[in-house]
Amino acid sequence: MTTRSQSWFAKTEVQPTAKLQLFCFPYAGGGAYIFNSWKSRFAPDITVLPIQLPGRESRSTEAPMDTLQDIVQSLVPAMAPYMHKPFAFFGHSMGALIAFETARQLYSKTGKLPVHIIISGKSAPHLPYSKKRLHDLADDSFTEELRLMQGTPEEVLQNAELMQIIMPRLRADFKVCETYVYQPGNPLVCPMTVLGGMKDFEVSTDSLHAWQQHTTSPMDVRMFEGNHFFIHEQEQEVMSAVENILSASSPMAHAAAAHTAYNTSTPQPRFRQS
């Protein structure tokens, strides 16, 4: 029987020769399936480990979690069996927020950090949440807001029976983002790359650059054609960029650096268009 710990990770064959494990955190409403194509795309020395949140796919019978604190506190212990190799994080939108807070909690509890964190489509966590609150809207209004966001297929929005199934997890995920309160702390010491969509009008380039204050290591901002879901619109380009970022990293060197004292210098971010 699958344990709750094991169920956090979609079934993935971990290659013994892999040098790096890439944990992938999905956006609101998404499941581990959004990273299926990533598993076969990356080189054999990178194992892709999609995070499977409660309430979807293989965990569809579980109640979704609606606070970031609950997610992180349950996820961090479940990651323990995977901490024997260098690892990196990728998270899009809500997933970026989960990745960031998971990295903070991991360091606090174990002294370990990712060799690289790739943030995608998410404003820096200390900035005020400026979007409309959606999680407690009436069903019709909630569905219309999803339509405006262009992240849910129209055939799904028009399927009342299916919407009743997925709406609880969507509401829970939006509540995670809308009720999140950033708690100040020391910046992380691992390198960070921030990805954004050039037509993502919800996440400004300034808010992407603002992630710099959350790491003392170099930070790179890269922009892609597309809206908030540019990771699908430009999937091949995004996967190539992620693979290049990780290939350019020196896992062992970064892992060692992650255990050193905090560096007080703050490098300026570099802006690059991809």
Side-chain angles (χ1 to χ4, degrees):
M1 180 167 55
T2 302
T3 66
R4 188 174 183 86
S5 173
Q6 293 171 326
S7 65
W8 278 98
F9 306 98
K11 186 177 180 181
T12 301
E13 184 177 350
V14 180
Q15 298 295 332
T17 57
K19 299 177 181 177
L20 182 72
Q21 300 189 137
L22 175 63
F23 294 93
C24 296
F25 300 78
Y27 47 74
Y33 72 92
I34 68 175
F35 299 108
N36 280 348
S37 60
W38 291 41
K39 293 181 181 181
S40 59
R41 170 64 174 79
F42 287 96
D45 57 352
I46 299 175
T47 296
V48 175
L49 289 168
I51 302 298
Q52 185 67 284
L53 296 171
R56 61 214 75 194
E57 298 174 48
S58 63
R59 307 184 69 180
S60 60
T61 59
E62 298 180 44
M65 294 181 174
D66 60 6
T67 72
L68 193 64
Q69 183 180 23
D70 285 345
I71 293 173
V72 172
Q73 287 185 346
S74 296
L75 176 57
V76 167
M79 298 179 77
Y82 301 87
M83 297 288 98
H84 61 288
K85 290 185 178 182
F87 58 95
F89 284 174
F90 174 92
H92 183 77
S93 198
M94 179 188 76
L97 202 57
I98 299 174
F100 170 68
E101 288 295 347
T102 299
R104 296 175 89 191
Q105 184 77 354
L106 264 177
Y107 187 77
S108 173
K109 297 294 185 181
T110 70
K112 296 181 178 181
L113 276 175
V115 301
H116 207 110
I117 298 178
I118 303 176
I119 298 295
S120 178
K122 182 63 182 175
S123 301
H126 65 280
L127 299 178
Y129 189 85
S130 57
K131 301 177 186 177
K132 185 186 301 184
R133 289 176 63 95
L134 304 181
H135 76 269
D136 52 3
L137 290 177
D139 287 356
D140 289 348
S141 298
F142 186 74
T143 300
E144 184 56 33
E145 290 293 337
L146 292 176
R147 179 174 286 110
L148 294 173
M149 293 175 65
Q150 301 180 0
T152 307
E154 186 62 29
E155 56 268 27
V156 174
L157 295 173
Q158 293 186 14
N159 187 324
E161 184 177 351
L162 180 57
M163 284 300 294
Q164 287 302 310
I165 294 174
I166 68 174
M167 197 172 287
R169 82 176 188 222
L170 289 168
R171 289 188 183 278
D173 286 356
F174 280 109
K175 186 177 179 181
V176 166
C177 298
E178 293 166 4
T179 61
Y180 169 76
V181 178
Y182 170 72
Q183 298 297 326
N186 289 324
L188 300 171
V189 298
C190 50
M192 187 179 292
T193 300
V194 182
L195 313 182
M198 284 186 276
K199 295 181 181 178
D200 184 354
F201 303 115
E202 298 180 356
V203 182
S204 69
T205 53
D206 286 345
S207 71
L208 297 175
H209 282 283
W211 278 94
Q212 179 64 77
Q213 82 172 58
H214 298 288
T215 178
T216 60
S217 294
M219 191 191 85
D220 192 11
V221 177
R222 304 189 184 191
M223 302 300 293
F224 295 81
E225 290 287 348
N227 59 26
H228 186 64
F229 293 98
F230 66 90
I231 63 167
H232 295 313
E233 295 176 287
Q234 306 294 332
E235 185 177 55
Q236 290 300 322
E237 289 78 2
V238 170
M239 286 192 292
S240 294
V242 170
E243 186 171 21
N244 289 338
I245 290 165
L246 298 179
S247 296
S249 299
S250 174
M252 299 310 295
H254 290 325
H259 295 276
T260 62
Y262 284 110
N263 186 340
T264 57
S265 63
T266 305
Q268 293 299 310
R270 303 184 302 279
F271 183 87
R272 188 189 319 175
Q273 180 173 316
S274 296

